[in-house]
């Protein structure tokens, strides 16, 4: 059976009284066995494992999976949201922060919230939202204009609306580029405003969210429509600001705590010459220490965006999240030192926001190696002993496993994508390395099966050239110095990997036509689901990597799938709306599949 539903573009608020949601407030933080059939959180539960316990759809009957219903949202743009399903209702964050509630069984629209953005607000990273949080009878969404909004879960009516941050930072402009550089004659396509991309998470009466857009880089037009990104330029100077993660009261939005991702004291760190496991970073420590004398306030502009939804250890009340690159991006003259806590996995006390530990994957990052893919909590088995751990698929191309209590690195996998010239510096002739600014694994959520100690990771192979531009001062004109990164003309592709966490080796890998940007779903039915930018939505045997099913959408499937059950029927859902950064075609559909 196939049903396509739409109530038109941005239709007025519609409330259907027959759909009751009184149990929403009762869910609170009990996202465990009682909600096995739902998908109540961005990562299904606080571990972010994205492993559905449902088995009705499995390797034996996957060939009978077909479209049950679809819904056209009327907003065609980059679509990255994870739908949330609670008590028969699906909540979807649309591009530009509109929100729609649907009957999760039929796709019928229940209500719609239309977001009115602040006039002239610069969007950091396009219009996409990664999702909402639903708890305490409310739907929470962070916005591209740095607001946190609470809606009534029954009606979609706004309950409160607060400003999380002000757009006050100095931004870069093409006037800072060399006139001899062709990039100076192009128009900027990427804004540099602060905003919120992640889906919030609610825990113990607090809605927790972080900001993006603080790791400033000047974004230049793409060389062609199918190219990933365009050039990104980092100009030294007082650009950007410190990122943060913050908690707000679920009832009224009052701020409970804020953790700044750049500390005012100690931000320069220990001037590490290598990563924690001994890989050389090719730093000029002497030059950095000299620069420190004139850049004592670099922390004020330090960067460290928070890109994706945290994981939470409910036994210890510890929150884990990743931070982005330091500011200015790729250019280190005005930010000497390790630039704490950028490109780090950070553990906070959920009640106070105080730091417990941090693990910096790349000190003094000049490549754009944000810790972007959501962290995942699991018990790591080492020498027959279980250790509470947190895993993360890095843009560097390695999967990291850290001790959840101390942050100590327990293991690092083999590279799940090709690596070349790792941690090489930009040069005047251009230095090509991979993975680069795109990753590795970017914001795409991974999935994890603790029982088999397997992580499933969506990867990107995209060679990037880093170029240094320097010109001496001329008359009244100041000296010019900046670094740009841009994709090469080399082949780009994606790779789906199943990583044996016990050994760090690949159990299997599948190469895909295009870089993977979206996210994964694993199920107890022995399946891994994944979408691609060419519109294909596919399922793989989680043990072997064999493709066992596919469907084709009209837009790029660049968002994480979910699975849920209603009235004894298991569904698999994903949104299809593409990704503008990669040139994947835009669309506006919610697609839901079931066995027929």
């Amino acid at each position: 059976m196939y049903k396509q539903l739409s109530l038109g573009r941005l239709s007025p608020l519609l409330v259907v009284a027959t759909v009751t949601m009184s149990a929403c407030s009762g869910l609170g933080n009990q996202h465990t066995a009682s909600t096995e059939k739902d998908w109540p959180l961005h990562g299904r539960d606080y571990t972010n494992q994205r492993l559905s316990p449902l088995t009705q759809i499995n390797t034996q009957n996957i060939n009978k999976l077909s479209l049950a219903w679809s819904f056209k949202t009327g907003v065609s743009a980059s679509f990255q949201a994870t739908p949330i399903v609670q008590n028969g209702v699906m909540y979807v964050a649309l591009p530009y922060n509109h929100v729609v509630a649907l009957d999760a069984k039929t796709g019928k629209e229940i209500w719609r919230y239309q977001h009115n953005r602040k006039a002239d607000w610069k969007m950091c990273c396009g219009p996409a939202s990664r999702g909402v949080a639903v708890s305490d009878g409310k739907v929470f969404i962070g916005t591209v204009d740095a607001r946190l909004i609470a809606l009534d879960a029954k009606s979609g009516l706004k309950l409160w609306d607060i400003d999380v941050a002000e757009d006050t930072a100095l931004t870069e402009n093409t006037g800072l580029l060399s006139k001899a550089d062709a990039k100076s004659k192009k128009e900027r396509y990427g804004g540099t405003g602060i905003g919120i991309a992640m889906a919030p998470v609610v825990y113990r009466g607090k809605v927790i969210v972080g900001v993006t857009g603080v790791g400033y880089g000047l974004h230049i037009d793409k060389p062609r429509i199918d190219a990933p990104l365009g050039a990104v330029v980092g100009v030294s100077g007082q650009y950007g600001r410190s990122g943060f993660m913050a908690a707000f009261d679920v009832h009224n939005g009052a701020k409970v705590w804020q953790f700044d991702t750049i500390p005012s004291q100690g931000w320069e760190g220990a001037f590490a010459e290598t990563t924690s496991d001994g890989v050389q970073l090719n730093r000029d420590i002497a030059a950095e220490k000299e620069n420190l004398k004139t850049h004592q306030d670099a922390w004020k502009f330090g960067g460290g965006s928070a890109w994706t939804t945290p994981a939470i250890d409910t036994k210890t009340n510890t929150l884990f999240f990743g931070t982005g690159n330091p500011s200015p991006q790729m250019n280190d003259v005005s930010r000497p030192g390790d630039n704490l806590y950028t490109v780090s996995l950070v553990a906070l006390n959920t009640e106070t926001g105080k730091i417990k530990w941090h693990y910096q994957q790349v000190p003094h990052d000049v490549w754009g190696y944000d810790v972007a893919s959501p962290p995942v909590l699991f018990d790591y088995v080492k020498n027959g002993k279980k250790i509470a751990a947190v895993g993360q698929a890095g843009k560097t191309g390695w999967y990291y496993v850290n001790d959840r209590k101390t942050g100590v690195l327990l293991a690092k996998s083999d590279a799940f994508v090709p690596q070349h010239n790792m941690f090489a510096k930009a040069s005047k002739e251009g230095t090509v390395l991979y993975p680069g600014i795109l990753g590795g694994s970017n914001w795409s959520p991974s999935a994890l099966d603790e029982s088999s100690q397997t992580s499933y990771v969506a990867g990107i192979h995209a060679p990037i050239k880093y170029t240094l531009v320097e010109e001496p001062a001329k008359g009244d004109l100041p000296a010019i110095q900046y670094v740009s990164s841009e994709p090469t003309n080399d082949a780009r592709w994606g790779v789906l990997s199943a990583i044996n966490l016990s050994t760090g080796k690949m159990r299997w890998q599948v190469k895909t036509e295009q870089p993977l940007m979206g996210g994964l779903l694993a199920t107890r039915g022995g399946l891994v689901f994944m979408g691609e930018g060419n519109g294909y939505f596919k399922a793989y045997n989680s043990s072997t990597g064999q493709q066992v099913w596919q469907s084709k959408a009209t837009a790029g499937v660049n968002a994480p799938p979910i699975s849920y059950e209603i009235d004894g029927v298991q569904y698999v859902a994903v949104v299809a709306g593409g990704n503008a950064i990669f040139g994947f075609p835009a669309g506006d559909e919610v697609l839901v599949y079931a066995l027929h």
Side-chain angles (χ1 to χ4, degrees):
M1 182 175 69
Y2 174 96
K3 290 188 282 185
Q4 190 173 55
L5 298 155
S6 176
L7 294 187
R9 182 178 296 272
L10 296 180
S11 58
L13 181 68
L14 175 66
V15 181
V16 179
T18 55
V19 179
T20 61
M21 297 173 54
S22 58
C24 284
S25 60
L27 265 172
N29 295 309
Q30 304 305 311
H31 302 293
T32 52
S34 63
T35 55
E36 267 196 359
K37 297 179 180 180
D38 287 343
W39 193 278
L41 285 167
H42 182 263
R44 203 194 77 82
D45 59 22
Y46 288 120
T47 68
N48 275 346
Q49 289 183 10
R50 301 191 69 86
L51 177 69
S52 170
L54 303 178
T55 59
Q56 184 181 95
I57 301 169
N58 54 58
T59 56
Q60 302 302 309
N61 58 20
I62 184 67
N63 61 312
K64 297 180 180 179
L65 191 68
S66 62
L67 195 65
W69 59 262
S70 71
F71 177 85
K72 292 184 73 67
T73 70
V75 185
S76 183
S78 294
F79 205 180
Q80 300 178 1
T82 292
I84 298 298
V85 176
Q86 291 188 13
N87 304 293
V89 180
M90 177 184 290
Y91 306 88
V92 186
L94 309 184
Y96 300 101
N97 305 123
H98 312 303
V99 182
V100 65
L102 307 173
D103 184 315
K105 184 176 179 180
T106 68
K108 185 176 182 179
E109 183 173 313
I110 301 170
W111 56 254
R112 182 184 293 247
Y113 163 74
Q114 183 173 346
H115 181 61
N116 294 314
R117 278 184 296 139
K118 294 179 179 178
D120 301 322
W121 191 276
K122 303 181 188 72
M123 289 191 297
C124 152
C125 315
S129 169
R130 298 198 176 127
V132 298
V134 183
S135 186
D136 299 86
K138 301 177 182 69
V139 178
F140 303 94
I141 185 167
T143 72
V144 293
D145 49 352
R147 291 149 64 186
L148 181 61
I149 294 171
L151 309 174
D152 183 89
K154 291 182 181 180
S155 67
L157 293 173
K158 188 189 293 185
L159 299 176
W160 49 259
D161 180 347
I162 63 166
D163 291 329
V164 172
E166 296 296 325
D167 193 16
T168 57
L170 180 66
T171 61
E172 300 171 17
N173 61 71
T174 53
L176 299 168
L177 306 184
S178 166
K179 302 305 179 187
D181 189 342
K183 289 188 284 294
S184 68
K185 299 175 178 62
K186 294 185 177 182
E187 294 295 323
R188 185 179 64 193
Y189 85 90
T192 51
I194 193 169
I196 298 171
M198 72 164 61
V201 63
V202 177
Y203 183 69
R204 292 172 64 94
K206 298 176 289 297
V207 54
I208 303 169
V209 73
V211 297
T212 58
V214 298
Y216 282 76
L218 175 64
H219 291 194
I220 310 296
D221 281 330
K222 302 179 188 182
R224 59 184 189 276
I225 190 64
D226 64 337
L229 207 56
V232 179
V233 180
V235 182
S236 66
Q238 298 178 339
Y239 300 99
R241 60 191 292 169
S242 173
F244 61 84
M245 183 73 71
F248 303 86
D249 188 285
V250 295
H251 301 294
N252 54 27
K255 186 182 289 186
V256 179
W257 54 256
Q258 176 173 314
F259 171 79
D260 294 329
T261 53
I262 309 294
S264 59
Q265 300 291 324
W267 55 269
E268 64 275 17
F271 291 86
E273 296 186 4
T274 69
T275 63
S276 74
D277 56 327
V279 182
Q280 283 289 333
L281 293 169
N282 301 308
R283 294 172 65 174
D284 187 340
I285 300 297
E288 286 183 44
K289 289 184 175 180
E290 184 64 28
N291 285 340
L292 182 61
K293 298 175 183 178
T294 53
H295 292 94
Q296 292 289 325
D297 61 350
W299 63 274
K300 295 179 180 179
F301 319 100
S305 293
W307 288 106
T308 47
T309 304
I312 296 176
D313 185 333
T314 59
K315 292 181 179 178
T316 62
N317 290 337
T318 307
L319 176 147
F320 304 86
F321 76 103
T323 61
N325 58 264
S327 177
Q329 193 165 3
M330 299 173 298
N331 196 319
D332 63 351
V333 173
S334 60
R335 54 166 177 85
D338 293 348
N339 311 130
L340 300 178
Y341 299 106
T342 62
V343 192
S344 295
L345 185 63
V346 180
L348 304 180
N349 183 308
T350 62
E351 307 309 288
T352 65
K354 301 296 184 183
I355 190 168
K356 291 189 174 183
W357 55 259
H358 81 278
Y359 174 81
Q360 192 169 33
Q361 289 181 7
V362 184
H364 193 70
D365 169 64
V366 289
W367 303 274
Y369 284 140
D370 318 64
V371 179
S373 184
V376 183
L377 307 185
F378 70 106
D379 284 339
Y380 174 61
V381 179
K382 186 174 184 179
N383 299 324
K385 180 182 177 183
K386 288 184 177 181
I387 304 172
V390 52
Q392 200 273 328
K395 284 179 76 173
T396 58
W398 290 300
Y399 192 93
Y400 299 83
V401 179
N402 294 80
D403 187 294
R404 208 184 304 172
K405 184 177 181 180
T406 65
V408 169
L409 184 67
L410 298 172
K412 191 177 79 171
S413 75
D414 289 350
F416 56 79
V417 292
Q419 292 177 326
H420 172 71
N421 262 354
M422 287 294 290
F423 306 126
K425 287 295 188 72
S427 60
K428 292 183 178 180
E429 63 275 14
T431 301
V432 175
L433 61 85
Y434 45 85
I437 192 171
L438 296 173
S441 188
N442 208 301
W443 71 266
S444 303
S446 61
L448 191 143
D449 185 345
E450 188 174 79
S451 63
S452 65
Q453 294 286 288
T454 304
S455 177
Y456 303 97
V457 175
I460 295 169
H461 172 66
I464 299 291
K465 182 171 69 173
Y466 293 81
T467 304
L468 172 66
V469 177
E470 289 182 314
E471 291 183 1
K474 298 176 182 178
D476 295 334
L477 298 176
I480 292 175
Q481 193 274 349
Y482 58 88
V483 174
S484 69
S485 69
E486 50 197 322
T488 69
N489 291 321
D490 299 297
R492 298 182 294 272
W493 35 267
V495 59
L496 172 63
S497 302
I499 303 174
N500 183 332
L501 297 173
S502 297
T503 64
K505 306 294 183 182
M506 303 299 120
R507 294 189 188 276
W508 52 258
Q509 291 189 296
V510 175
K511 186 177 178 181
T512 61
E513 183 179 299
Q514 296 170 312
L516 293 180
M517 177 62 82
L520 304 178
L521 162 70
T523 78
R524 284 288 177 217
L527 299 166
V528 174
F529 289 88
M530 178 190 72
E532 299 180 40
N534 53 19
Y536 280 105
F537 183 42
K538 298 178 180 180
Y540 298 85
N541 183 307
S542 60
S543 297
T544 66
Q546 178 186 3
Q547 183 183 318
V548 292
W549 175 87
Q550 71 177 25
S551 181
K552 185 75 159 57
T554 57
V557 183
N558 302 116
I562 68 164
S563 189
Y564 60 95
E565 181 182 314
I566 298 177
D567 295 336
V569 177
Q570 181 183 355
Y571 297 90
V572 174
V574 72
V575 306
N579 187 298
I581 291 178
F582 281 78
F584 297 149
D588 69 340
E589 282 195 294
V590 180
L591 304 171
V592 178
Y593 301 83
L595 296 175
H596 291 96

